[in-house]
């Protein structure tokens, strides 16, 4: 169950009320009842998936009338009822009206409040994470259903939010709660876009290579490390080996070594942080792209050992453990992937790199992993 609403009794009561009002043809009162619920359904507001499906099951004529009532109300939130009745400010109420009008008209009138929807989504373009207390991804879903794809910067904000669920530094934040919502995950599964988020020097270079190299490179970059996996599985490794053969092992080595060198550079597209994040987000690794970095680290460990590969992996570990203002490393889980890969290579050069890292690494998780790797070699 999502954090939005866990009281199924309340949801059932709301659904029964909606049905009764719809059967009476009282769409004006139905529009009010839906918005009252949308403004009071827990910390994550909105009518929710089940009740939105109920509303979309109404006759098309009723759906269009409802969406137009909400659209008029959106233009003048004091015009039908007092905003105070809903326990929210006018801006908050207007956002909820935008979402329900967009949702109920989906498939019938894709242009209802389209400009307003696009304006709301555009506010996410420079956000590191999505902190909205609304189910804001529903607006992106409405745009996709209308055949309009929000730009890559909007997708990137949603992707980073989804990835934040699995990272300790974000786990207890409101953004991570957004990322764990089923509706958000469903959106990410159908949201088309580049294989990586643009805006990091290494990712920009990788996207350029993928554009030039075509599908094999796209598939290689898309074969990211699973968010919660500590080491590559047999299945993951088998797929990665096939991708190496398709692209060419030496081509992969040359490219990835260069990308690892670029990983320590600050973002090329600056983003806005948040008071809950006490570090410079523009000196941080993109949480979504970092899964691809982890996968690439694992992938090069499958290549025949060479000093340039082990040196690049050690450099990636150093980069990922660099502390940003705020006292947290750029990406501890990328560092751990580099350590795992050095251990998997396991030759004299890899051991030397691990011994050097063991002399200065203070991050507890990374230091413990280095010690275990050295004990096993």
């Amino acid at each position: 169950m999502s954090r939005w609403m866990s009281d199924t009794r309340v949801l059932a009561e709301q659904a029964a009320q909606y049905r009764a009002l719809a059967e009476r043809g009282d769409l004006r009162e139905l529009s009010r009842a839906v918005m009252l619920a949308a403004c009071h359904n827990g910390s994550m507001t909105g009518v929710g998936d089940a009740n939105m499906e109920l509303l979309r099951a109404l006759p098309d004529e009723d759906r269009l009338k409802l969406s137009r009532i909400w659209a008029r109300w959106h233009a003048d939130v004091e015009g039908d009822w007092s905003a105070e009745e809903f326990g929210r400010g006018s801006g908050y109420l207007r956002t909820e009206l935008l979402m329900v009008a967009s949702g109920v008209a989906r498939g019938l009138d894709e242009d209802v409040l389209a400009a307003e929807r696009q304006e709301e989504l555009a506010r996410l373009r420079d956000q590191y994470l999505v902190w909205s207390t609304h189910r804001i991804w529903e607006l992106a879903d409405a745009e996709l259903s209308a055949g309009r794809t929000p730009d890559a910067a909007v997708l990137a904000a949603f992707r980073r939010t989804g990835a934040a669920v699995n990272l300790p530094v974000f786990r207890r934040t409101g953004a991570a709660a957004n990322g764990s919502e089923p509706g958000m995950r469903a959106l990410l599964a159908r949201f088309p876009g580049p294989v990586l988020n643009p805006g990091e020097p290494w990712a920009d270079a990788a996207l350029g290579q993928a554009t030039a190299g075509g599908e094999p490179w796209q598939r290689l970059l898309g074969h990211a490390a699973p968010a919660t996996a500590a080491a590559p599985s047999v299945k993951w490794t088998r797929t990665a080996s096939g991708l190496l053969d398709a692209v060419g092992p030496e081509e992969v080595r040359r490219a990835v070594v260069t990308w690892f060198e670029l990983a320590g550079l600050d973002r090329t597209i600056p983003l806005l942080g948040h008071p809950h994040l006490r570090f410079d987000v523009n000196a941080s690794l993109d949480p979504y792209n970092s899964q691809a970095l982890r996968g690439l680290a694992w992938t090069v460990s499958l290549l025949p050992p060479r000093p340039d590969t082990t040196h690049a992996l050690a450099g990636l570990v150093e980069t990922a453990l660099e502390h940003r203002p705020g006292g947290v490393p750029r990406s501890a889980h990328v560092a751990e992937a580099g350590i795992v890969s050095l251990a998997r290579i396991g030759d004299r050069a890899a051991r030397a790199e691990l011994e050097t890292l063991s002399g200065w690494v203070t991050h507890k998780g990374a230091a413990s992993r280095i010690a275990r790797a050295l004990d096993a070699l």
Side-chain angles (χ1 to χ4, degrees), residues 2-6 11 14 37-49 88 92 96 99 130-138 161 173-184:
S2 77
R3 76 174 179 131
W4 165 72
M5 169 63 80
S6 59
L11 292 175
Q14 290 173 1
C39 288
H40 292 94
N41 277 343
S43 59
M44 179 59 69
T45 59
V47 298
D49 295 334
R88 302 287 187 177
Y92 197 102
E96 288 298 325
M99 289 194 289
V130 177
W131 296 89
S132 175
T133 54
H134 304 274
R135 297 162 62 85
I136 207 74
W137 55 87
E138 293 182 356
T161 305
T173 67
N178 283 345
S180 67
E181 283 289 312
M184 172 84 88

Side-chain angles (χ1 to χ4, degrees), residues 130-306:
V130 177
W131 296 89
S132 175
T133 54
H134 304 274
R135 297 162 62 85
I136 207 74
W137 55 87
E138 293 182 356
L139 301 183
D141 200 41
E143 284 297 285
L144 290 175
S145 296
R148 297 184 292 263
T149 302
D151 67 27
V154 174
L155 168 60
F158 283 122
R159 280 175 164 175
R160 286 188 291 269
T161 305
V165 173
N166 299 294
L167 299 177
V169 71
F170 305 112
R171 196 167 289 149
R172 296 177 64 83
T173 67
N178 283 345
S180 67
E181 283 289 312
M184 172 84 88
R185 295 198 299 270
L187 170 70
L188 290 174
R190 65 187 289 256
F191 202 142
V195 68
L196 298 174
N197 290 340
E200 292 182 310
W202 86 265
D204 294 343
L207 286 170
Q209 179 63 61
T211 298
E215 183 183 357
W217 281 98
Q218 296 278 354
R219 291 171 56 217
L220 180 76
L221 291 174
H223 189 49
T228 58
S233 66
V234 171
K235 180 179 179 182
W236 190 97
T237 301
R238 186 183 306 116
T239 300
S241 296
L243 293 171
L244 279 172
D245 291 340
V247 174
E250 285 308 308
E251 288 81 0
V252 172
R253 186 198 303 274
R254 284 194 296 269
V256 172
V257 165
T258 300
W259 299 341
F260 287 175
E261 292 172 352
L262 295 174
L265 301 181
D266 287 355
R267 295 187 55 84
T268 56
I269 302 175
L271 297 173
L272 297 177
H274 191 274
H276 289 171
L277 301 180
R278 298 179 180 179
F279 57 82
D280 181 0
V281 299
N282 294 302
S284 174
L285 295 180
D286 184 301
Y288 179 83
N289 287 351
S290 66
Q291 295 176 5
L293 266 181
R294 293 175 66 226
L296 291 168
W298 289 354
T299 298
V300 297
S301 73
L302 304 176
L303 297 169
R306 273 197 8 197

